[in-house]
Amino acid sequence: MKRTVYITRKLTDDMIDKLSNHFQVRMWHEEHVPVPRDVLLKEIEDVDGLICLLTEKIDEEVLSKAKQLKVISNIAVGYNNIDIDFAAKKGIVVTNTPGVLTETTADLTFALLMAAARRVVESSDFLRSGEWGAWSLMQMTGQDIYGATLGIIGLGRIGEALVKRAKGFDMNVLYYNRTRKPETEEKLGIHYREMKDLLQQSDFVCLLLPYSAEVHHLIGKEELSLMKRNAILINTARGGLVDEDALFQSLKNGEIWAAGLDVFEQEPVPIDHPLLSLPNVVTLPHIGSASVKTRMRMAHLAADNMVSVLTGNEAITPVISHK
Ligand code: NAP
Ligand code: GLV
């Protein structure tokens, strides 16, 4: 008998075809609306595999309902939406999509950095609003990127890919990482700093570490107060890493200069969120990996992980494996 896989969102036909060759596939048929919690709690009961997005909270409540779940394949590299410890206890393999999105996310991170530094969105709005009276010397002046100091917190795959872009702009790159990486320092020509020093010395601070309870609000009032007045904070990792109230105050009071945010504590970010009222914040709807090619690669890797595990093989990119 074919195993059953549930997909929490309508995906591409070729991916569904790939899965249907092996499994009985059930799916939430909406593309832009997440599966309701009660539907997920029901669907999970009798499936062998779950393919989900980062919008689904796969917690103890969901996992407790699962009677025969063997694998969860997350279509994202970050997996903070899944209780991996509880999954491990139940012997469920969890997979993610590392690597295939690295360069695309680094591109977007650098785009956000440039947009915030050079006031790209604000300037475009200024022009469209009809306020552009005449060219003037200090109009819409921003911060230089070339030659500036970039501090990366979380130097993993995407962090390293970001360094390559920064080096093309002659940036001085500092990093803080849980594990120091002397060989990478040598190879990429970058410098390790403790977090406090990195915050004090950087013109741009980019967050590229995974979110977990231990790093909740890693960047709060105190950390923001250490940053330069011309500094720009870029977050393409996870919203929970930043205390958004403290960031709002800091930006509003000119304690740091600008921010570029692809991620928020609550997504979609409420339209009346204070941060959205500030001209010195560039906001994006969590599109770090959103190129056509990369999203297809992520979907296929998630499907391939599912096929591999449910046909008795190793996961291609496991978060945890119990073999
Ligand atoms: P990765 O290769 O695992 O890199 C993460 C790095 O963060 C590792 O070097 C890790 O250090 C470090 N780290 C972990 N915990 C830390 C801590 N407490 N303090 C300092 N450093 C810490 O992951 P990646 O592929 O680069 O992705 C990074 C994150 O980006 C993902 O987890 C995801 O949340 C986010 N992301 C967002 C988008 C988007 O659309 N905006 C797209 C892709 C990814 P160790 O070497 O010690 O493990
Ligand atoms: C996106 O945020 C991811 O973690 O892949």
Side-chain angles (χ1 to χ4, degrees):
M1 208 175 75
K2 274 188 173 179
R3 299 215 192 248
T4 305
V5 170
Y6 186 68
I7 312 175
T8 62
R9 201 71 70 86
K10 183 176 185 298
L11 299 176
T12 58
D13 288 344
D14 59 335
M15 187 190 169
I16 294 161
D17 289 347
K18 181 184 273 189
L19 290 162
S20 299
N21 286 335
H22 300 269
F23 315 117
Q24 190 192 327
V25 177
R26 298 205 307 254
M27 181 169 72
W28 174 246
H29 282 274
E30 296 277 356
E31 194 181 342
H32 302 293
V33 182
V35 60
R37 182 85 176 167
D38 59 331
V39 175
L40 178 61
L41 286 169
K42 188 86 197 109
E43 291 284 4
I44 199 82
E45 283 180 5
D46 63 343
V47 296
D48 302 286
L50 177 74
I51 296 190
C52 60
L53 305 187
L54 51 77
T55 43
E56 276 75 64
K57 204 168 162 55
I58 311 298
D59 55 12
E60 201 171 317
E61 186 190 17
V62 173
L63 294 172
S64 298
K65 296 268 180 200
K67 295 195 186 79
Q68 58 190 59
L69 189 65
K70 290 164 196 68
V71 52
I72 302 168
S73 175
N74 205 34
I75 313 183
V77 64
Y79 49 83
N80 55 295
N81 55 314
I82 302 170
D83 184 338
I84 58 160
D85 293 334
F86 194 72
K89 269 192 214 149
K90 290 198 62 164
I92 298 166
V93 175
V94 179
T95 67
N96 64 345
T97 59
V100 292
L101 47 61
T102 297
E103 299 294 338
T104 301
T105 310
D107 280 350
L108 192 279
T109 305
F110 208 76
L112 201 45
L113 180 156
M114 294 190 76
R118 295 299 305 273
R119 304 172 69 173
V120 171
V121 177
E122 190 186 353
S123 294
S124 177
D125 290 347
F126 172 74
L127 179 154
R128 285 166 188 255
S129 72
E131 284 174 75
W132 186 22
W135 190 94
S136 59
L137 191 65
M138 298 308 285
Q139 192 172 68
M140 287 294 158
T141 45
Q143 303 292 333
D144 277 326
I145 296 149
Y146 80 93
T149 296
L150 167 65
I152 300 175
I153 302 181
L155 191 83
R157 288 170 290 248
I158 302 170
E160 285 195 31
L162 186 66
V163 174
K164 287 190 277 173
R165 283 134 183 99
K167 287 288 171 180
F169 283 73
D170 286 336
M171 295 180 96
N172 172 38
V173 181
L174 312 177
Y175 82 100
Y176 167 74
N177 198 62
R178 181 171 55 186
T179 322
R180 189 166 172 178
K181 300 181 166 174
E183 278 174 26
T184 309
E185 288 170 33
E186 180 85 15
K187 185 179 79 185
L188 298 177
I190 61 178
H191 312 282
Y192 180 82
R193 293 285 186 278
E194 288 304 328
M195 210 170 93
K196 182 170 179 234
D197 295 334
L198 180 146
L199 291 168
Q200 286 174 330
Q201 294 167 21
S202 300
D203 301 306
F204 297 89
V205 173
C206 283
L207 305 181
L208 280 168
L209 71 163
Y211 175 78
S212 65
E214 292 85 73
V215 284
H216 180 70
H217 288 185
L218 180 77
I219 302 297
K221 190 172 187 302
E222 196 181 322
E223 290 72 26
L224 290 160
S225 74
L226 294 171
M227 289 169 65
K228 296 182 182 181
R229 284 187 91 81
N230 71 321
I232 297 175
L233 178 73
I234 305 295
N235 188 6
T236 40
R238 283 292 182 268
L241 294 167
V242 177
D243 177 344
E244 290 174 349
D245 294 339
L247 178 62
F248 172 74
Q249 290 302 333
S250 174
L251 287 161
K252 189 165 166 273
N253 301 333
E255 287 154 20
I256 71 166
W257 202 75
L261 307 172
D262 185 41
V263 287
F264 298 87
E265 282 208 80
Q266 186 189 333
E267 294 182 2
V269 63
I271 198 66
D272 60 351
H273 193 294
L275 279 170
L276 271 54
S277 69
L278 297 176
N280 52 344
V281 184
V282 180
T283 52
L284 297 175
H286 203 146
I287 58 164
S289 63
S291 75
V292 178
K293 267 192 198 160
T294 291
R295 286 287 167 86
M296 294 297 283
R297 284 196 199 108
M298 289 164 67
H300 278 280
L301 178 53
D304 291 343
N305 267 312
M306 183 59 68
V307 172
S308 194
V309 179
L310 285 187
T311 55
N313 298 301
E314 290 290 334
I316 303 161
T317 49
V319 172
I320 44 167
S321 170
H322 303 287
K323 289 219 157 188

